Amino acid sequence: MSGLDAPLLGTAEAAEEEADVVMGSRGRTVSHPPPPTTECVFVARFDVSEGNMIEWAHPFSPAQLAGVEYKALVSGAHTLEEDYVLFTFHGLHGVACFHKLMDENAPRGAWQRATGVLVRNHYYMEQHLEGLRKAARYANTNPGDYSLLEGHFKKWGAEAPTGVEPGRLPTTHPASLTGREAAHYLERYSLACGSVTALADAFAEKVFVLWRALLMGLRVVYLTKPPAGAASSQIHTAHGLLLAGEEHHRMLALPTWLYYVTVSDIDSLAHVPSYLACTTEQLFKHKPQLYDLLIDGDTFVPSKAYEKALAPLAQDRRLYERLREKKTPLDALGFFENLNNQLLAHVMMWRKDTPVRSAAVSKCGLNMAAAERFFTHHGYDINLPTGCCPPLC
């Protein structure tokens, strides 16, 4: 029986027994969210005298997009010929593709432009990548001709764009999208941009430290070197770490997915209680007040307040070995869905005054310090054994 056809995991014991069920699309029709409506298309370029700037936008004016040029033209992108990036901007989700064209007649010997879109949600972002890549190359070889982007907007554009709203946070997982529907979406995205399997390959067993940080509602910054496309896709596929079944997915309070952030976001980040973001800007390393976990390349640096909650655990290696046995991205997503189902099934029992035992917490992939923060973040009224863990800041 496939994971999609299997009965919901209503108890912790059943969840453990089904922990290795493979999810698949056989035998069931899964609805997908509708394609997003595109709010805007734009071109950003690097200008020797003015720096990053918005060259053209439709239907918004460049003034309405002030600041998006620093998201589209990623810090360090000048070292690459091409790159892409996922980001958020005033409540909208963005995708931009960068292209550098070497030209001895150009200022500093090269033209550097990025073409991008702003959309209302993060679903189907990969549908824009190929068109934006072509448009970025075309913009450098045919400056002033925006016909490709105009055609892209005609195909994907909203009939009535809602506009940007400074200070608004983007939405991530709509409550109407079940964990299994999200899994199918992420499987399709993985064909274009990377998968949970690739995320696990990048971080090995530390992927379970990231999983715990997201469950706990912490602020996570992934500091990396260009290209930004790989990093922002890893941020995107990390949605899959929090998948849960239909019975459980509404029990999770999800972080805000911010994708690529810049120094211009520093002030606003101070007001976001839980998020996952990536950046190529090294300044973030020196802003520890902005994060609870810094992932610097493959080094995980928790803040002092969460050192115990985010400590590597013995079961991380065991879980990672089981994850490596999964042959497809959808299988890997199914692994995390079942892991979360198991944890949340235990939560349902603990909320009914079943004693919280460290062995059960460990079996769910946590330690007692992580469990305490997880319960607090989600507002679960669950009593832990006295003296089991230190107070959290």
Side-chain angles (χ1 to χ4, degrees), residues 3 27 62 70 129 185 205 286 297 329 363 373 392:
Y70 298 104
L129 282 173
Y185 157 69
E205 63 263 35
H286 308 292
K363 192 172 292 186
R373 166 65 192 194
L392 294 174

Side-chain angles (χ1 to χ4, degrees), residues 356-358 361 366-373 384-385 388-389:
V356 180
R357 307 296 187 192
S358 60
V361 169
L366 308 181
N367 60 20
M368 294 299 267
E372 182 184 32
R373 166 65 192 194
L384 289 168
C388 71
C389 45

Side-chain angles (χ1 to χ4, degrees), residues 121-141:
N121 62 55
H122 66 283
Y123 297 108
Y124 292 80
M125 287 196 294
E126 83 286 354
Q127 72 184 4
H128 298 283
L129 282 173
E130 188 56 36
L132 290 176
R133 288 190 182 105
K134 292 178 180 178
R137 300 174 192 136
Y138 189 81
N140 272 332
T141 55

Side-chain angles (χ1 to χ4, degrees), residues 129-178:
L129 282 173
E130 188 56 36
L132 290 176
R133 288 190 182 105
K134 292 178 180 178
R137 300 174 192 136
Y138 189 81
N140 272 332
T141 55
N142 300 272
D145 183 349
Y146 308 112
S147 56
L148 286 186
L149 283 175
E150 289 170 338
H152 192 87
F153 185 79
K154 185 176 181 180
K155 180 178 181 180
W156 300 108
E159 293 183 4
T162 58
V164 297
E165 183 180 324
R168 183 177 64 187
L169 291 177
T171 56
T172 49
H173 262 317
S176 61
L177 190 69
T178 71

Side-chain angles (χ1 to χ4, degrees), residues 260-393:
Y260 185 79
V261 295
T262 72
V263 293
S264 64
D265 295 307
I266 286 177
D267 289 342
S268 61
L269 285 177
H271 304 288
V272 186
S274 173
Y275 66 80
L276 177 61
C278 66
T279 188
T280 58
E281 302 197 18
Q282 295 295 313
L283 180 64
F284 278 84
K285 186 183 295 187
H286 308 292
K287 297 288 183 180
Q289 71 276 17
L290 294 178
Y291 52 80
D292 304 308
L293 174 64
L294 176 70
I295 303 175
D296 186 359
D298 60 358
T299 302
F300 281 49
V301 185
S303 66
K304 187 174 180 61
Y306 295 106
E307 284 180 346
K308 289 196 174 182
L310 295 176
L313 304 179
Q315 61 262 38
D316 291 347
R317 168 55 62 174
R318 174 178 58 83
L319 289 170
Y320 178 61
E321 292 299 329
R322 288 170 57 195
L323 177 59
R324 289 184 65 189
E325 295 172 1
K326 306 308 173 186
K327 303 301 183 183
T328 70
L330 194 58
D331 293 345
L333 290 167
F335 176 86
F336 278 100
E337 179 187 9
N338 282 295
L339 186 61
N340 291 322
N341 286 346
Q342 175 178 314
L343 171 61
L344 294 170
H346 274 90
V347 167
M348 292 170 70
M349 294 192 304
W350 291 328
R351 293 175 75 179
K352 297 177 181 178
D353 295 328
T354 299
V356 180
R357 307 296 187 192
S358 60
V361 169
S362 177
K363 192 172 292 186
C364 291
L366 308 181
N367 60 20
M368 294 299 267
E372 182 184 32
R373 166 65 192 194
F374 173 67
F375 298 157
T376 301
H377 173 61
H378 288 82
Y380 297 143
D381 186 15
I382 297 175
N383 294 321
L384 289 168
T386 303
C388 71
C389 45
L392 294 174
C393 299

